[in-house]
Amino acid sequence: MERQEIGLSGIEASRVALGVMRFAKKTQEEATEAVRCALNSGIDFFDTADIYGRGLSSQMLGQAFRDLGVDRDDVIIQTKAGIRPGECYDFSRAHLERALDEELERLGTDHVDFFLLHRPDPLVDVVELANTLEGFIEDGKVLHLGVSNMNPWQVDLLQSALDEDFEVNQLQFGLGHTQMVSLGLHANMVHAVCAPGSGMIEHARVSGITIQAWSPLQYGTFAGTFIGNPDFAELNEALEEVAAAHDATPTAIACAWILRHPARMQVICGATSPDHIAQAASAMKVRLTREEWWKLYRAAGNDLP
């Protein structure tokens, strides 16, 4: 299975990771089976957050590791914090310290490999935040840092006060959410606008940050999957054709489309079905041609300026 360095951290991981947001809606047995399938498929990177199932997803992930007898050193664990559901986004020391300690307890570990700030906090005190995050690293609770859902200026603002580099920016990206590519292609056009996604890929490549693509098979935000969806007939036809050429499945090809980008993105697979997890993981064996990548991009409804 193909692996990659996450940011400039020195940590190598599977290019497809398992996101456990949906674990809270499953039984513990189903969650454990999903983790087992991920491990058997070559996935060793697991992504969670304190708000997933109000902590239940992380608890179930930790239990799955224990049920399977997983050695802590054999897996890479990432969590996120900074959202107070229904209230606000909060990067204060008090909130982040409490959130991290609770996550460590749920996961049954004394540290996470990556700790991400989940969404931008407009009231952030960057000096307090820097002291908080660097304290996590000094205490050994966090090895590396990252952000999620942030544009280049938001990343740079937070980074300006930090000695430690951000290694990750987790962003929605896939054939149903191609804005980060499309906006770049339409730069300097009459109709070009400054919009969400502008410069994110380029900023990550210059900064050495790994983009983690969340909801890679979704259209919209949480509207549903485009795989097998009749509303995306042209895209599915193209996926089937490319899949046949690679002896793969449309799910694998949709994930391989992300992996083909030279930014060396990592795919966060949010599936809980063992079959879907295995299909997503198999994308690590597929290398799309340039022509196949563009064919899928255009079939997703994108024009070329």
Side-chain angles (χ1 to χ4, degrees), residues 90-104:
D90 187 352
F91 290 174
S92 68
R93 179 190 297 273
H95 177 72
L96 293 180
E97 285 183 343
R98 180 172 61 254
L100 176 59
D101 286 344
E102 290 175 352
E103 275 291 271
L104 294 176

Side-chain angles (χ1 to χ4, degrees), residues 114-194:
F114 294 88
F115 180 76
L116 274 55
L117 300 167
H118 208 158
R119 282 194 178 274
D121 173 9
L123 300 181
V124 61
D125 178 329
V126 294
V127 174
E128 178 191 56
L129 176 64
N131 290 335
T132 301
L133 297 179
E134 288 167 359
F136 291 166
I137 292 175
E138 290 171 5
D139 292 343
K141 296 179 178 180
V142 170
L143 300 187
H144 300 284
L145 302 171
V147 297
S148 181
N149 304 303
M150 294 196 193
N151 67 37
W153 281 107
Q154 290 167 330
V155 176
D156 286 349
L157 171 64
L158 302 184
Q159 186 68 76
S160 68
L162 271 168
D163 291 330
E164 298 288 334
D165 291 333
F166 289 126
E167 309 291 357
V168 167
N169 192 358
Q170 193 171 116
L171 301 162
Q172 187 173 22
F173 184 66
L175 281 165
H177 203 274
T178 61
Q179 290 91 323
M180 287 197 294
V181 168
S182 302
L183 287 167
L185 294 179
H186 287 81
N188 200 39
M189 304 300 291
V190 172
H191 58 281
V193 295
C194 181

